[in-house]
Amino acid sequence: MEDKDRTRLIEIIEKFKEDGLISVLQKIQDVFNYLSPETIVMVSKYMKMPLSKIYGVITFYHHFSLKPRGKYTIRVCKGTACHVKGGEENLTRIKRLLSIKEEEVSEDFVWGLETVACVGACALAPVVMINDEYYGKMSLHKTELIIDHYKAIEKTGEYVKYEDKVS
Ligand code: FES
């Protein structure tokens, strides 16, 4: 870990430790994109907490990641309702559009593709999430439009919500 990253990490721990472990881990992941082993050891040291407890929290919450994630993490729901309504076809299309496989991150760390069990939005099946945004009733065409939308965001650096763009 570079010195500037170590300094930033210590600042985060000191600033958020009063709010508890989850707040600290959340902020570290926001800044560093994932929770590296070195980071976790630092959290343990500065919060005087056993590593086992920290790993217990990280592995309990799906939100936390021990591996580098893409800037845009795409989660395709593989629950039954989504599967029946074409989730698998959407997954195949996304893999082709981004040239990545399931549970992979692109070489430039822009895209990550994960599959998840039911995300609790079955009425909107098939569902795809990109970071914290939900996209429902995903046809193959809508899948392509949304991926193009995020590619445009990446290219221009300007974030526009997909719904705002199409409305
Ligand atoms: S099965 Fe996909 S949201 Fe429930």
Side-chain angles (χ1 to χ4, degrees):
M1 184 183 290
E2 291 181 23
D3 285 349
K4 68 174 176 44
D5 289 338
R6 183 172 288 107
T7 303
R8 180 84 176 102
L9 179 60
I10 294 168
E11 281 171 7
I12 292 170
I13 297 169
E14 294 298 341
K15 185 171 177 189
F16 292 93
K17 71 180 180 187
E18 291 299 313
D19 299 334
L21 177 61
I22 290 177
S23 295
V24 169
L25 296 175
Q26 174 74 60
K27 190 64 187 170
I28 293 170
Q29 181 159 291
D30 287 349
V31 171
F32 294 96
N33 191 29
Y34 77 114
L35 300 161
S36 69
E38 196 178 352
T39 303
I40 296 166
V41 168
M42 296 275 283
V43 171
S44 169
K45 180 178 163 194
Y46 281 85
M47 292 188 76
K48 299 184 179 20
M49 229 178 241
L51 281 170
S52 58
K53 180 174 180 182
I54 299 171
Y55 275 102
V57 169
I58 293 169
T59 52
F60 182 79
Y61 291 101
H62 185 261
H63 176 76
F64 293 126
S65 179
L66 294 166
K67 298 183 299 188
R69 274 187 164 153
K71 182 175 174 184
Y72 306 105
T73 299
I74 302 170
R75 296 187 183 91
V76 179
C77 180
K78 277 192 139 181
T80 307
C82 289
H83 180 77
V84 167
K85 294 206 168 179
E88 198 65 39
E89 288 80 1
N90 283 332
L91 178 62
T92 303
R93 182 64 55 94
I94 292 167
K95 287 194 233 175
R96 189 172 61 74
L97 289 169
L98 299 176
S99 303
I100 53 174
K101 297 188 181 115
E102 275 173 68
E103 316 309 329
E104 247 188 28
V105 176
S106 60
E107 279 181 19
D108 56 6
F109 290 100
V110 172
W111 307 102
L113 180 59
E114 299 175 1
T115 55
V116 289
C118 178
V119 294
C122 306
L124 298 174
V127 175
V128 170
M129 290 182 71
I130 302 185
N131 294 343
D132 294 326
E133 306 273 357
Y134 286 78
Y135 297 96
K137 300 192 184 299
M138 294 291 286
S139 63
L140 289 177
H141 180 60
K142 188 173 172 187
T143 297
E144 289 194 4
L145 290 177
I146 288 175
I147 296 296
D148 282 350
H149 174 68
Y150 276 87
K151 282 182 175 175
I153 292 172
E154 181 56 19
K155 201 168 169 184
T156 62
E158 189 183 331
Y159 180 76
V160 182
K161 269 188 101 161
Y162 178 76
E163 285 77 7
D164 295 341
K165 188 182 156 215
V166 294
S167 60

